[in-house]
Amino acid sequence: MLSTPALDTPAPLRTPLYALHLARGGRMVPFAGYELPVQYPTGVLKEHLHTRAAAGLFDVSHMGQIRLRAKSGRLADAAAALERLVPQDIVGLGEGRQRYAQFTSDDGGIRDDLMVTNRGDHLFLVVNAACKAADAAHLESELGAACIIERLEDRALLALQGPKSAGALSGLAPAAAAMRFMEVAMLDLDGVACIVSRSGYTGEDGFEISVPAPQAAGVAEKLLANADVLPIGLGARDSLRLEAGLCLYGHDIDLTTTPVEAALAWSIQKARRSGGARAGGFPGADVIVRQLESGAARRRVGLLAEGRAPVREGAPLYASADAAEAIGRVTSGGFSPSLQRPVAMGYLPSTHASDGTLIFAEVRGQRLAMTVAPMPFIQNTYKR
């Protein structure tokens, strides 16, 4: 007899690529309210290494896509409005360019991180799946008087990552080969008009492709027809972004961490800093600008462990092997398939955050030595 789902438990959503995942043997798991493949028969390790050596195709359709348009019709007004919610220079973002940003809180914490693109007459935002409803409500509440906020539920999102991704994509759209890192263009992929950015979240050269939902599976199959491209699941997606030293919202960053503490100060341009053309004016500016000038009391760092035992999220960090009080904790950790050793990210007091500092993580009652190390753990290969 089949069990009846609880009435208050919504069924997981499915992306437009759900049937493709099943057809290719994807092992489906719940993630951020969706059913997504954690791996394919190839396995997480081979999927990871294949992406580093060739090209991997990821279904990231669960992420939110939002169009932000000023009611005046002027892009400059939409950009100025969004700058009221993020610490980044959006007014100075050129047409066809993309920028990494964060929605901040009044305390300087990170509500979500996102990508912002200047599409000429509007801004195109990509936000995290778990935050997309809250982000849209936040935009509507704060900017609704001046802007039209459209959630684009009719689009899928693919990520093609790896050193052979340009070759694979240019087989469908030759113009892709000439694009530079963080450039965005409308490209015709086998008859389908797509918004393509040269970006991604693995540290590799690659592309993110916003596709009309009804054509998404067809575009994915065209890309997978290339022998260099394999479908990749959530497992390898996480180990790839960890090697790249990139934050995962809800783990490495959240409302309790500021952009400066998270080592994301590089993403805040001169125009928004003290003395800049449009300094401050975003939520938490007093905290964040002060930290930009004087430093934060703690910082996100990279960590390398000896031995083979992974140090996972939540592991407490100590200044010595016998210290009584923890001074920090791991926020992401696992075994690096590329380096063949455990790697992690976590927060430490700034006094213990210099590269080469020896600290200790507690795993199942044992203190394991770790060394603070520069990130990314694997050098990125962006096409700048």
Side-chain angles (χ1 to χ4, degrees):
M1 181 178 176
L2 295 173
S3 61
T4 302
L7 293 177
D8 58 353
T9 303
L13 300 171
R14 295 173 176 176
T15 74
L17 271 63
Y18 180 79
L20 181 151
H21 298 317
L22 294 184
R24 289 180 172 269
R27 183 160 72 83
M28 308 302 282
V29 298
F31 181 82
Y34 285 79
E35 286 183 272
L36 288 167
V38 67
Q39 66 177 79
Y40 294 88
T42 311
V44 174
L45 177 62
K46 290 183 178 178
E47 290 174 22
H48 179 113
L49 296 175
H50 182 86
T51 303
R52 290 271 181 246
L57 185 68
F58 305 74
D59 179 9
V60 288
S61 303
H62 55 301
M63 299 184 74
Q65 302 181 59
I66 297 173
R67 183 185 292 128
L68 180 67
R69 191 188 303 273
K71 291 181 178 177
S72 68
R74 294 188 293 269
L75 185 281
D77 292 342
L82 187 58
E83 283 196 356
R84 301 206 301 268
L85 303 184
V86 304
Q88 280 70 34
D89 176 4
I90 306 301
V91 169
L93 182 62
E95 184 172 347
R97 298 295 301 173
Q98 187 177 64
R99 179 159 285 163
Y100 174 69
Q102 306 95 34
F103 289 126
T104 50
S105 70
D106 291 340
D107 297 328
I110 300 174
R111 298 173 63 105
D112 194 11
D113 60 342
L114 66 153
M115 301 300 292
V116 182
T117 296
N118 178 340
R119 294 277 295 121
D121 62 349
H122 68 274
L123 298 174
F124 176 65
L125 315 182
V126 177
V127 301
N128 282 296
C131 302
K132 60 185 180 183
D135 289 343
H138 181 53
L139 287 164
E140 190 63 51
S141 171
E142 299 298 323
L143 309 184
C147 297
I148 300 166
I149 294 101
E150 300 172 75
R151 289 181 61 172
L152 306 179
E153 307 281 11
D154 58 347
R155 300 190 74 84
L157 192 65
L158 309 176
L160 181 65
Q161 299 284 291
K164 296 186 178 180
S165 59
L169 188 59
S170 60
L172 299 181
M179 292 176 66
R180 311 295 296 183
F181 182 58
M182 301 297 257
E183 182 179 346
V184 181
M186 284 295 297
L187 296 183
D188 186 305
L189 302 186
D190 198 41
V192 182
C194 299
I195 304 169
V196 178
S197 65
R198 194 152 198 169
S199 63
Y201 222 62
T202 62
E204 294 291 336
D205 181 24
F207 303 85
E208 292 198 345
I209 307 164
S210 174
V211 194
Q215 284 83 46
V219 170
E221 290 288 11
K222 287 286 184 183
L223 292 168
L224 290 167
N226 186 312
D228 290 330
V229 182
L230 285 183
I232 309 296
L234 293 167
R237 180 179 173 226
D238 194 52
S239 54
L240 288 159
R241 73 93 195 163
L242 175 58
E243 286 183 350
L246 297 170
C247 294
L248 180 62
Y249 192 79
H251 299 259
D252 308 295
I253 51 176
D254 57 25
L255 279 168
T256 71
T257 56
T258 71
V260 180
E261 291 171 337
L264 299 174
W266 59 266
S267 70
I268 303 175
Q269 290 74 31
K270 184 178 178 181
R272 308 305 310 279
R273 298 181 178 220
S274 181
R278 297 181 309 286
F282 51 85
D286 54 339
V287 175
I288 294 168
V289 171
R290 184 172 67 248
Q291 290 183 346
L292 285 169
E293 294 175 346
S294 305
R298 63 173 188 152
R299 187 159 65 87
R300 180 175 63 95
V301 298
L303 298 164
L304 292 174
E306 301 300 327
R308 305 280 291 179
V311 180
R312 306 288 186 188
E313 179 182 356
L317 298 171
Y318 295 85
S320 67
D322 56 0
E325 300 291 332
I327 58 172
R329 71 178 183 88
V330 169
T331 52
S332 287
F335 193 81
S336 162
S338 301
L339 297 177
Q340 286 294 293
R341 63 182 301 179
V343 299
M345 296 191 291
Y347 282 83
L348 284 172
S350 296
T351 51
H352 291 73
S354 299
D355 291 345
T357 302
L358 181 67
I359 55 98
F360 291 83
E362 189 164 281
V363 178
R364 292 189 292 276
Q366 286 192 320
R367 298 279 174 96
L368 305 179
M370 303 189 84
T371 304
V372 177
M375 293 187 287
F377 299 109
I378 297 293
Q379 193 59 45
N380 65 54
T381 59
Y382 304 140
K383 184 179 172 63
R384 296 187 185 276

